[in-house]
Amino acid sequence: IIKNNLDFSSNNNKLLLGNNDLTFENSATVSGFDDDEYLVTNGVGQVLKKDLSNFTFPIGYDTTSFNPLTLTESGTADTLGVRCLEHALDSGSSGAPFTNQVVVDASWEITEATVGGSNLTITAQWSGGDELTDFDRSYCGLSRYSSTGWDLTVSKTTAASGSNPYTQTRTGIDSTGIF
């Protein structure tokens, strides 16, 4: 449990969570993170933020892939958890990994302590090395997996921002899950 601040104060520091959760209390912060200093969600453990309003989760699925996720909650205050997964799977949290489709080869799982009442803005970050062969960053979006499949539609696509790393933002998210 982080009560005040987790500071990545020296180069090439990573904290591997494995199957453990790391919880940031209501006013706790994290500083000094970048592509050499971050939290690795290499198991079922997740990073939790209590009473989240706006927070950047400095995470990656291994020690070489930095894939932070920023969440802004303008709905009901809640504890939200995030972990980064190594692949985008055809059935969300299961199935075969996409191989050359138009996706980034990573996904993010977002959970909430109290289901309902969310109004999230999500900003995901990735590097060019995470993009699969047919990915087109000039025409992309954040997709959520539901029981009927991935929900990305043409109306939800825009050009990614940045120049390696890249970001994509989606607003008005009212359900958590795999993105």
Side-chain angles (χ1 to χ4, degrees), residues 71-75 80 110 112 116-123 142-144 151 156 169-179:
L71 296 180
T72 302
E73 173 66 87
S74 55
L80 286 121
I110 303 172
E112 59 186 336
S118 289
N119 184 6
L120 295 170
T121 297
I122 301 171
T123 300
L142 280 171
S143 186
R144 180 183 171 276
D151 73 352
K156 295 178 187 174
T169 299
R170 182 170 166 187
T171 61
I173 304 295
D174 61 5
S175 297
T176 58
I178 304 288
F179 290 83

Side-chain angles (χ1 to χ4, degrees), residues 6-7 10-11 13 17 23 41-42 66 84 86 92 117-118 129-130 133-134 137 139 143 148:
L6 172 62
D7 182 20
S10 61
N11 286 332
N13 275 323
L17 296 185
T23 302
T41 57
N42 59 328
F66 180 51
C84 186
E86 182 175 5
S118 289
D130 291 323
T133 308
D134 294 333
R137 73 180 72 97
Y139 192 67
S143 186
T148 59

Side-chain angles (χ1 to χ4, degrees), residues 25-36:
E25 291 289 336
N26 298 10
S27 60
T29 58
V30 59
S31 58
F33 60 86
D34 60 24
D35 62 354
D36 278 338

Side-chain angles (χ1 to χ4, degrees), residues 2 10 12 52 70 77 116 129 150 152-153:
I2 306 296
S10 61
N12 203 22
L52 183 139
T70 300
W150 293 98
L152 187 62
T153 62

